[in-house]
Amino acid sequence: MSISLTPDQERFIQTKLQAGKYRSAEEALEIALRLLDEYDRADAEWIEDVREKIDAAIVASNQTPPIDGETFVNQIIERFRQGHQAQA
């Protein structure tokens, strides 16, 4: 496989090599790929976590009686007021 880097990417790697952070461009690339893999796994875990929370919210909403919009907004305003008063 051949990889082409932009001039900015080459300068970035050269700066890291000159600073002694890495022994070679290959080492820097290996670390970058490892970090990309960790990022992808963390992203997948976050997506799964959100899906689980959405599923739990759907189950909870199915077990909660409906409420009209005005009552809902009034309850939120009241919670806000209580929270604001507790901070004062």
Side-chain angles (χ1 to χ4, degrees):
M1 175 188 299
S2 176
I3 298 174
S4 298
L5 300 175
T6 67
D8 286 341
Q9 292 167 331
E10 285 186 35
R11 276 191 296 278
F12 178 78
I13 291 174
Q14 286 302 323
T15 300
K16 297 298 180 184
L17 293 173
Q18 290 169 358
K21 291 252 181 200
Y22 309 100
R23 291 175 292 225
S24 66
E26 289 79 12
E27 180 185 13
L29 181 59
E30 187 177 316
I31 291 169
L33 292 172
R34 193 174 329 126
L35 289 170
L36 179 60
D37 186 48
E38 288 176 22
Y39 175 83
D40 287 345
R41 276 188 268 121
D43 190 47
E45 289 171 8
W46 180 83
I47 289 170
E48 183 60 30
D49 184 49
V50 169
R51 283 187 178 139
E52 288 173 7
K53 288 177 181 178
I54 290 171
D55 290 344
I58 290 170
V59 168
S61 71
N62 289 337
Q63 298 170 356
T64 305
I67 186 170
D68 69 274
E70 185 176 345
T71 302
F72 178 75
V73 170
N74 288 335
Q75 288 176 352
I76 290 175
I77 291 171
E78 184 57 32
R79 285 185 196 163
F80 176 77
R81 285 184 185 140
Q82 290 174 359
H84 186 66
Q85 289 172 352
Q87 292 177 358

